[in-house]
Amino acid sequence: MTKPLALVALVVVAAVWGGTFVVVKDVTQQVPPMDFLAVRFLLAAGLLALWRPHRLLTLSRKQWGYGALSGLLLSIAYIAQTFGQQHTSASMSGFITGMSVVFTPVMAGLLLRQRLGTATWVAVIVATAGLGIMTIRGFAIGPGEGLTLLCALFFALHIVALSKWSTADRAYALTVVQLGVVGVVCLILGAPSGIDLPGDRSFWIPVIGLAVVATAGAYLVQTWAQARLPAVAAALALTMEPVFASFFGVLFDNDELTIRIVLGAILVVGAMALTEFRAVAPSANPLAVEPDAASDAAERRDRV
């Protein structure tokens, strides 16, 4: 009974992350993106640190460095994603962010010199075709789509970094460090223009919800679930995130559900599934890590 429950929990996490694309787009209309990100991630990191402060004491100096560098990669991803969401639809942002699942084995092959199989290259080509169908207007990609694609690339780099550095017994502490780094980086970038935070509930309710539920809470649920599931099953469940992002975008953000989006979405989700199915054989999976480490590595969707 535990495995089906864990699988359902991951699908719920994917639904929460998919729904955040609409929420983030609305919140960033009220405040500068850096102010929003700083508050969201500092709240999430603070909550996790207060819950289990002793975990941070277990990290060595080198592991603190790994956490800080991973946090910088995550910072760039979130910054690009948040600015990108201001210039594209919620459903489009969700689907392009999902490209990180395809970019990940490519980055692992390039940086870790791990050999890529034919199925991986096919997945990359299929996903690229799907992305083009959804986003290309004429012969150019809009600024929102371009920034979100950069976000997906850095999410992939972040996953590769954690596949190299994360361990099951340090996953919780590294999560706190990374979330804290994202918050501090955004705070520094937003400080020159002054941190401007409205005092009304229309801002703080969604931001606190994002910090507690979609950041701290979702990652803890994911950690619990991935300790009980094979990494491939967990990854397949999480590929539902862009599907939920599209669903919520159409339902709440007045996104138009066109044939191009449907066809492109099918190709991108199919490519993500192909990439993960390719990983079924452990020897062929460049990112086969222990469940808890995989959980920590999956911090890329915000995901938001």
Side-chain angles (χ1 to χ4, degrees):
M1 184 62 185
T2 302
K3 286 187 177 181
L5 182 61
L7 192 61
V8 170
L10 280 183
V11 172
V12 172
V13 168
V16 170
W17 281 339
T20 62
F21 287 95
V22 175
V23 179
V24 168
K25 186 174 182 179
D26 291 340
V27 170
T28 52
Q29 301 299 318
Q30 302 181 50
V31 297
M34 292 302 97
D35 298 2
F36 157 70
L37 288 174
V39 171
R40 175 188 171 180
F41 281 91
L42 288 176
L43 280 175
L47 178 63
L48 292 177
L50 287 174
W51 189 7
R52 295 180 178 178
H54 61 281
R55 291 295 184 91
L56 293 172
L57 301 178
T58 66
L59 292 179
S60 67
R61 182 177 300 180
K62 179 181 290 187
Q63 289 165 336
W64 273 91
Y66 290 157
L69 184 53
S70 299
L72 287 175
L73 295 174
L74 199 58
S75 299
I76 296 172
Y78 274 111
I79 291 168
Q81 184 185 60
T82 302
F83 277 109
Q85 285 178 322
Q86 295 181 316
H87 303 285
T88 190
S89 67
S91 58
M92 194 71 68
S93 179
F95 277 115
I96 300 176
T97 300
M99 286 283 292
S100 61
V101 177
V102 178
F103 286 150
T104 298
V106 177
M107 293 297 102
L110 293 175
L111 299 177
L112 304 182
R113 300 190 180 279
Q114 293 171 335
R115 187 168 169 269
L116 300 180
T118 302
T120 300
W121 288 114
V122 171
V124 171
I125 293 171
V126 171
T128 302
L131 176 63
I133 291 172
M134 286 192 297
T135 63
I136 292 180
R137 304 182 182 97
F139 294 99
I141 294 179
E145 290 81 6
L147 283 170
T148 310
L149 191 61
L150 180 67
C151 145
L153 176 62
F154 273 89
F155 274 139
L157 289 170
H158 173 253
I159 297 165
V160 172
L162 286 185
S163 74
K164 180 73 174 177
W165 298 330
S166 182
T167 60
D169 60 334
R170 300 290 185 265
Y172 188 98
L174 286 175
T175 299
V176 177
V177 174
Q178 291 171 87
L179 296 182
V181 167
V182 175
V184 170
V185 167
C186 294
L187 184 65
I188 292 172
L189 293 177
S193 58
I195 302 299
D196 182 21
L197 301 176
D200 57 342
R201 288 188 289 181
S202 64
F203 170 78
W204 284 105
I205 289 178
V207 167
I208 292 174
L210 286 168
V212 175
V213 178
T215 308
Y219 291 137
L220 288 178
V221 171
Q222 184 184 14
T223 301
W224 173 86
Q226 289 198 217
R228 292 157 176 80
L229 284 174
V232 174
L236 283 172
L238 292 175
T239 58
M240 289 295 294
E241 179 186 350
V243 176
F244 283 113
S246 180
F247 171 76
F248 288 121
V250 171
L251 195 61
F252 298 112
D253 202 38
N254 299 317
D255 288 354
E256 183 182 359
L257 189 62
T258 65
I259 296 297
R260 287 181 54 174
I261 287 183
V262 171
L263 179 57
I266 291 172
L267 290 174
V268 171
V269 173
M272 290 189 288
L274 178 60
T275 301
E276 297 303 336
F277 277 123
R278 176 68 181 89
V280 170
S283 61
N285 181 13
L287 295 179
V289 292
E290 292 297 324
D292 283 343
S295 169
D296 200 41
E299 279 181 19
R300 68 197 189 282
R301 286 198 182 68
D302 171 303
R303 34 313 269 261
V304 285

